[in-house]
Amino acid sequence: MHRLLCLGQLSLVDGSGQPVSNAAAQPRRLALLALLGRSAPRAVSRERLIGWFWPEADEERGRRSLNQALYALRTELGSEEVLLGQRDMRLNLDLVSCDVADFENAMESGRPEEAAGLYRGLFVDGFRLSSAPEFEQWVEDERRALVHRYAEGLEALAAAAEQRGEPQTAVGWWRKAASADPASARLAIRLMRALVASGDRSGASRHATIYQTILEQQLELPADPAVLAYAEELTRAAVSGQPSFVPEPLVARGESLEVGSGAGVGVAVASPTVVPASSPPALETAAPSADRRRPRWRLVAVTALPMLGAVGMAAYLGTRPGPPGGDGPPVVAVLPLQNSTGDSTYQLVGAMVTDWVTQKLAETGLVRVMDTRTLLTTQGDIRALATQTGARFLVIGKYYRLGDSLEFRTQITDAASGRILSTIDPLYAPASEPTGALTVLEERVTGALAVQVDQRLNNWTASSSHPPTWAAYSEFLLGMRDFGRNRAYDSNFAHFARAARLDTTYWQARLWAGISLANARRYPEADSVFRSVAARRGQLAPYDRAGLDYFHNGFVLGDREASYRGAKVMVELAPLAGHSNWALGNTARSTRRAREAVEAYSRIPLDYGWGAEWAVRILGESARAQHVLGEHEDELANARRMLARSPDDGWARTTEVVALAALRRYDKLARRVEAAVTLPEDSGTWSPFSPGDLLFQVAQELRSHGAPTDTVQRYAEAAVQWYAAPTSAGLADTVHLLGHARASYGLGRWEEARELYQRLMAVNPESPEFVGGVGAASARLGDTVQAESTLRRLMAMQLPYPFGRPARAAATVAAALGRRDEAVRFLGKALREGTGRYNEWHAHPDFLSLNDYPPFRALVAPRN
C-alpha cells in the first residue's frame, strides 16, 4: 500500500516507506495527488482539475493531459481503483493512505494527540508549481487552515494537561502551539503562563523576548503590548516577590497593531503562517535591501488587477437619488488614464488616479460620478458606456515617463460631442511615488469642473484623509483583487492590514481589514478593528462611514436595524452603485423588508462591472426575498437566470427546485432534482451545496405547502439515505453529521436524530444547534426531562456574538414541547440578536405548527 505524505515535504512512499521515484513522482502528478488527498473522501470535478493544473490549455488538450496523468498514476500505483470516479475524481484511501486525511480524521474524531503526531510540518512545504497559479493559491489557503487546525489541537491538549494538574506536559503542548503560530500574542501569553505555573519564570521572560524578536525583526510587526506588559510584570514580581498579573491580549486570535497617530488605535492583524527560510515567498513585496532606489510598489503592481480602492468597492455613483441622465447634478465619468510610459509596471497608476479623483468629486455633493469599478472592469468602449449611462462630462488623460518623474496630462470633455471643455496644466510626480500628484490633480480637476457646473466647487476642501502612499494603495488593491472569491478572507485581510501598516493614515484599509475578518467569522478581531476605525470616524469619507455602520452593526454586533440604516445612507450617497444596493438588499431582506430588497437587487446592473461578476449571487439573494413574498414564479425566473449564467452551480439548482416545490409542480420537480443530485458537493461557494441538502430543502418546502405525504416522504428519505452513506461508513465530518441529523429529524426519526445530535454535542458541546437538536428530539420522544434540561442550558448560554443562535435553538425545543407562545418569544429574541435566516422558518419541522398562529405570522410577515 502506498502512502501520500503532504504534511511537511510532499512525497509518495511505497509499502516499505521508501520514496517512489517513478512517473507518479513527477511534480504535477504529485500535486494532483496532494489535491485529491486533501479533498478526500470528497471528489473533485475533472473540470476543476484541468483548470488548476493546465490553465493555459484548450479544452481538448487539457482533457488529454489530465487523462495521461491519471493513467500514469494508476499504472505506477498498480491499480485502476487508486483513483475512483469518471466525471468527478476521488482518491481511494483504502489503496493510498494520506497523512493529511488521517490528520483531519483524528481531529474530527477527538484524537488531537494522534493528529499532532501526524503533523510533520506545513502542508506540502516548499513545493512549487509556478505554472498553476490557482493551485498555488489553494495550497496557501489550505496551509493556513491546517496550521490553525493543528494549533487548535495543541491548545486542546495543553488545556487538558492543565486541568489534570500536569504543568510540564502543558508547557510542551503550549510550546508546540506557539511554534506553529509564533506571531500569536494569545499563544505567547498562554505559554508564558504555563511556564510560570511550572516554576520556570525566567523561561516565560525568555519567550517574551523570542516573541518580540520574531515579530519585529523577522515579520516587521510590532509586538503585542499585552505580551510585553506581562514580561515586565514578571520582572517586577521577581524583584518584589509579589505574584504576577496575567493579562490577556485584546484580540482573541490576532495581534494588536498600532497603526494610528496620536493616542494610537490598535488594529488586529492576522497571525501569519511562518514559511521556513528554504521556501521562497509566494509574492515579493519589497525590494532587496541592497537596492533602496528601486520602488517597492513596482514589484506588486504587475500582478494586481484594477479592482478599486476608496471608490472601487464603495462604488460611488452619485450623491442624490435619481437616474444619472435625469434631474439633479450632472454625472461625471473619470475614465482610466492611459499608460503612455511604455512600462507595464505603471499600469495601476491610472486606476488610482481614476479612483481618488472620483472620490473627491463625489464628496462635493454637486456632481454625481460614475463608479470606477464599473469603468475599470468593463470590456469594450468605455466612452460609449459612460455616455449611455448618462454622463455629461468625461475626465480623460494620459501619463508619461520623463526621467525619474511621471507627467500627467488631463482634459475635461463633453461626453456627447467629445469637444474639449478644459485642459489641465501638466502635473509631475516622482516615478517611485505617483501619489505625489494626486492632491493637486484633484483640486485642478474640481476647479475646472466648477467653471462648467457650479462656482461653489472652487471653495471645495477635501473632507477625508490625504490619499495613501502608493505602496499602501498597491497592497490595498491586492486585497481587493480577489475579495470574496473562494472565501479567501484571511488572505484579503493580510493585504489590508499591510496597507494600514505602510500608511498609518489609511483608515479605509483598516475598515476593509475589519470587513475581511467579519466575513471570515473572526468576530472578536473584527470588532476590535471596527472600533479602532470608529475612533477615527471623522477621518473617513462619508460613504465609508456609512459602510462602517453597515458592516460593524450587521456583521459583528448583530444589530440588523442599525446595519440597514447604514446601507440606506450608502444608497443615498451612491444611488446607482452596485455595492450600495447590494448592502441595502441584504439588510432589507434580513429585517423583513423583502419588497425593498427585491427592488434594491434589481437596480444592480448584471451585464458589466461588479454586477456581472456577482450576478449569480445577486439573483440568488433576490430569489430568497421573492420566496418570502410568495412570488414563486419570479423566484423561479431568477433561478433560471442563475442557471443560464452558471449551469452547474449548486445554489442555482437548489433555488430552482425549491421554487418548483413551492409551486407544487411535481413532475418537473422530479426531473430537475434527478439532474441536480448528480452534481458534486461544493463547500467553497457563497452558498455551500450538497445533494443531501438539496433533497432536504425540497422535502421541507413540499411539506410546508401541503404536498401529498408520500411525495414529501420520498424526498425526505432520499436526503437521509444520502447523508447516511458517509455517516455509516465512518467518513462523515461535522457538516455531514449535521445534515444527517436534520434530515432524520425532518423525516420524524426522532431517536436516530437524537443520537446524531448527541454525537455532534460530543464534538462541540457549546453549539446551540447541537444542544437544541438533542432537546427537540427528546421532546418529540416524550423525554420532557431531557428537553427541559437542554432548554435551560440554551437560555443560560452567553455567547459573545450570538446572532440569535441560542434563542432560535430554544424556540425549536419550546415548539416541540407544544409551547407556541414561548417559541415565538424566543424567535423574536433571535431576530433582535441578528439572525438573518428567518425566511426558512416557515418550512422548519418544529415551526410548521406555528404557520397558522397569528403571533408567529405577525413576527415573520414582510414589513412592506
Side-chain angles (χ1 to χ4, degrees):
M1 181 177 180
H2 289 82
R3 183 165 178 77
L4 180 65
L5 301 175
C6 298
L7 295 172
Q9 186 176 2
L10 177 61
S11 65
L12 181 67
V13 299
D14 60 22
S16 64
Q18 295 302 309
V20 171
S21 58
N22 54 30
Q26 189 259 353
R28 196 177 302 270
R29 292 167 190 168
L30 266 184
L32 179 61
L33 281 176
L35 191 150
L36 293 174
R38 175 62 176 136
S39 302
R42 297 183 301 276
V44 182
S45 70
R46 283 175 173 263
E47 290 77 11
R48 180 171 293 182
L49 294 175
I50 292 169
W52 280 6
F53 292 105
W54 294 275
E56 303 300 329
D58 59 39
E59 184 177 352
E60 180 58 33
R61 190 158 62 89
R63 188 182 303 112
R64 189 166 56 251
S65 298
L66 176 59
N67 287 337
Q68 289 171 352
L70 296 176
Y71 175 81
L73 288 169
R74 284 169 169 150
T75 300
E76 296 294 345
L77 297 177
S79 174
E80 283 288 318
E81 301 300 314
V82 164
L83 300 171
L84 302 175
Q86 295 298 320
R87 177 180 172 182
D88 303 306
M89 306 307 302
R90 177 168 64 85
L91 182 65
N92 187 344
L93 295 176
D94 291 332
L95 297 180
V96 179
S97 65
C98 179
D99 61 352
V100 71
D102 293 343
F103 170 87
E104 285 286 8
N105 185 48
M107 287 293 293
E108 287 292 338
S109 304
R111 305 191 309 274
E113 187 164 0
E114 180 183 331
L118 289 164
Y119 193 93
R120 300 177 300 113
L122 296 174
F123 181 61
V124 296
D125 190 13
F127 185 84
R128 303 281 295 179
L129 203 62
S130 57
S131 60
E134 286 197 40
F135 171 77
E136 296 232 314
Q137 179 61 53
W138 173 81
V139 166
E140 181 181 335
D141 294 341
E142 295 301 315
R143 183 177 288 158
R144 184 182 302 110
L146 284 163
V147 166
H148 288 156
R149 194 85 163 115
Y150 174 53
E152 288 171 5
L154 295 171
E155 289 184 55
L157 290 165
E162 287 177 338
Q163 289 178 354
R164 294 193 305 268
E166 300 173 5
Q168 294 294 345
T169 303
V171 165
W173 292 123
W174 284 122
R175 199 181 297 281
K176 284 179 178 288
S179 297
D181 194 354
S184 169
R186 185 173 59 85
L187 293 177
I189 287 179
R190 293 305 296 267
L191 172 57
M192 292 167 69
R193 267 174 141 174
L195 287 164
V196 170
S198 70
D200 189 3
R201 190 182 296 263
S202 62
S205 298
R206 281 197 305 273
H207 184 71
T209 303
I210 293 170
Y211 164 83
Q212 184 176 11
T213 301
I214 290 173
L215 266 288
E216 295 179 352
Q217 296 185 16
Q218 295 184 26
L219 302 178
E220 298 182 352
L221 298 173
D224 192 302
V227 177
L228 303 183
Y230 184 29
E232 291 174 4
E233 181 64 25
L234 289 174
T235 302
R236 286 196 297 271
V239 173
S240 64
Q242 297 298 316
S244 57
F245 166 72
V246 183
E248 290 285 359
L250 294 178
V251 179
R253 226 183 50 174
E255 279 52 65
S256 177
L257 169 64
E258 290 295 324
V259 292
S261 56
V265 179
V267 63
V269 177
S271 304
T273 300
V274 178
V275 181
S278 59
S279 301
L283 177 65
E284 182 66 42
T285 57
S289 58
D291 185 10
R292 294 294 182 186
R293 293 173 298 175
R294 185 180 183 189
R296 295 179 66 189
W297 66 269
R298 293 184 59 179
L299 296 169
V300 297
V302 185
T303 63
L305 297 176
M307 295 299 188
L308 314 174
V311 186
M313 279 299 289
Y316 285 96
L317 186 55
T319 55
R320 300 179 188 176
D327 296 334
V331 176
V332 179
V334 184
L335 302 190
L337 271 63
Q338 295 180 27
N339 178 13
S340 297
T341 64
D343 186 343
S344 63
T345 60
Y346 290 100
Q347 194 65 33
L348 287 179
V349 174
M352 185 175 187
V353 170
T354 300
D355 192 9
W356 283 83
V357 171
T358 298
Q359 178 182 227
K360 300 310 176 186
L361 291 174
E363 289 171 357
T364 66
L366 296 172
V367 294
R368 289 178 290 168
V369 290
M370 188 169 177
D371 71 284
T372 45
R373 188 168 192 184
T374 293
L375 290 170
L376 286 164
T377 57
T378 296
Q379 303 296 321
D381 188 346
I382 55 177
R383 283 175 177 259
L385 173 64
T387 54
Q388 287 168 12
T389 52
R392 179 177 165 191
F393 301 108
L394 302 181
V395 178
I396 61 175
K398 298 181 179 181
Y399 50 99
Y400 306 84
R401 178 71 184 265
L402 299 176
D404 291 333
S405 299
L406 293 181
E407 179 187 48
F408 296 86
R409 292 181 174 270
T410 51
Q411 295 175 328
I412 298 173
T413 68
D414 180 87
S417 66
R419 181 170 58 91
I420 297 173
L421 302 176
S422 180
T423 298
I424 311 297
D425 291 339
L427 291 171
Y428 301 89
S432 60
E433 191 61 41
T435 57
L438 270 181
T439 301
V440 177
L441 184 60
E442 292 160 357
E443 292 171 352
R444 291 188 183 178
V445 169
T446 304
L449 280 168
V451 177
Q452 309 295 330
V453 181
D454 192 309
Q455 65 178 1
R456 286 174 293 175
L457 284 175
N458 283 311
N459 301 320
W460 166 74
T461 300
S463 62
S464 66
S465 60
H466 196 80
T469 65
W470 179 250
Y473 188 77
S474 297
E475 280 294 334
F476 187 91
L477 287 177
L478 288 173
M480 282 296 189
R481 177 183 59 183
D482 297 321
F483 186 84
R485 292 180 183 169
N486 301 319
R487 300 183 177 184
Y489 296 118
D490 287 342
S491 175
N492 301 141
F493 167 71
H495 289 298
F496 296 138
R498 200 170 296 124
R501 289 197 303 273
L502 290 168
D503 186 335
T504 59
T505 66
Y506 198 1
W507 292 99
Q508 190 192 43
R510 275 183 271 193
L511 172 63
W512 280 91
I515 293 168
S516 301
L517 290 168
N519 282 344
R521 300 184 181 181
R522 293 164 58 178
Y523 300 122
E525 295 160 280
D527 198 3
S528 174
V529 174
F530 282 139
R531 291 181 190 280
S532 77
V533 176
R536 298 294 189 274
R537 187 180 180 88
Q539 298 180 27
L540 293 176
Y543 190 97
D544 289 332
R545 287 199 294 272
L548 172 64
D549 295 336
Y550 162 61
F551 280 106
H552 191 196
N553 287 301
F555 286 52
V556 175
L557 302 181
D559 188 341
R560 301 282 182 177
E561 286 295 329
S563 181
Y564 168 75
R565 292 192 294 272
K568 289 283 283 187
V569 174
M570 292 167 70
V571 171
E572 290 171 5
L573 292 169
L576 301 180
H579 184 254
S580 63
N581 281 287
W582 168 256
L584 180 60
N586 288 346
T587 54
R589 185 177 59 78
S590 64
T591 56
R592 300 171 26 242
R593 297 175 172 93
R595 174 65 58 207
E596 187 175 2
V598 172
E599 292 170 354
Y601 292 131
S602 71
R603 290 194 292 267
I604 305 174
L606 303 182
D607 296 327
Y608 56 83
W610 177 83
E613 184 181 342
W614 281 35
V616 170
R617 192 172 188 211
I618 294 164
L619 291 167
E621 295 295 354
S622 183
R624 283 175 172 164
Q626 288 161 337
H627 190 86
V628 170
L629 293 167
E631 298 173 352
H632 301 304
E633 291 287 0
D634 292 335
E635 177 188 5
L636 181 60
N638 265 340
R640 289 175 175 164
R641 291 172 70 191
M642 295 167 74
L643 288 167
R645 292 174 178 269
S646 185
D648 291 330
D649 185 273
W651 185 13
R653 295 292 188 98
T654 303
T655 303
E656 180 191 32
V657 297
V658 166
L660 288 170
L663 291 165
R664 292 184 285 188
R665 295 180 183 169
Y666 303 133
D667 290 343
K668 179 158 285 190
L669 172 65
R671 291 195 296 272
R672 298 307 292 160
V673 168
E674 184 178 357
V677 295
T678 63
L679 294 176
E681 282 188 277
D682 191 351
S683 61
T685 58
W686 286 111
S687 188
F689 169 79
S690 80
D693 182 62
L694 179 143
L695 291 163
F696 172 69
Q697 289 196 47
V698 168
Q700 297 293 85
E701 197 62 35
L702 287 170
R703 184 183 288 111
S704 72
H705 286 277
T709 301
D710 61 334
T711 303
V712 175
Q713 292 291 99
R714 185 166 67 252
Y715 289 104
E717 288 173 356
V720 171
Q721 290 170 9
W722 190 91
Y723 281 114
T727 304
S728 60
L731 300 175
D733 55 16
T734 301
V735 172
H736 289 89
L737 281 173
L738 179 57
H740 191 181
R742 288 171 174 169
S744 297
Y745 190 91
L747 190 57
R749 296 180 180 176
W750 318 121
E751 191 66 59
E752 180 180 324
R754 181 162 70 170
E755 187 272 332
L756 288 164
Y757 276 119
Q758 285 171 337
R759 288 173 61 183
L760 288 163
M761 272 187 64
V763 176
N764 183 3
E766 299 304 316
S767 166
E769 180 166 10
F770 301 168
V771 175
V774 171
S778 298
R780 297 288 186 175
L781 290 165
D783 185 353
T784 56
V785 173
Q786 178 71 27
E788 293 285 2
S789 173
T790 59
L791 187 57
R792 288 192 298 272
R793 184 170 178 178
L794 289 165
M795 293 169 65
M797 276 190 179
Q798 298 292 324
L799 301 183
Y801 302 94
F803 298 104
R805 290 177 294 147
R808 179 196 170 280
T812 65
V813 181
L817 288 167
R819 304 204 297 245
R820 297 199 295 183
D821 284 345
E822 191 174 356
V824 171
R825 285 199 300 274
F826 281 128
L827 290 176
K829 184 174 188 290
L831 284 174
R832 292 191 297 276
E833 290 179 347
T835 187
R837 303 299 290 269
Y838 77 95
N839 55 295
E840 299 173 353
W841 291 352
H842 73 287
H844 191 283
D846 286 318
F847 303 149
L848 287 174
S849 63
L850 302 178
N851 281 332
D852 62 350
Y853 187 47
F856 177 76
R857 291 206 306 270
L859 182 70
V860 299
R863 298 170 69 168
N864 51 0

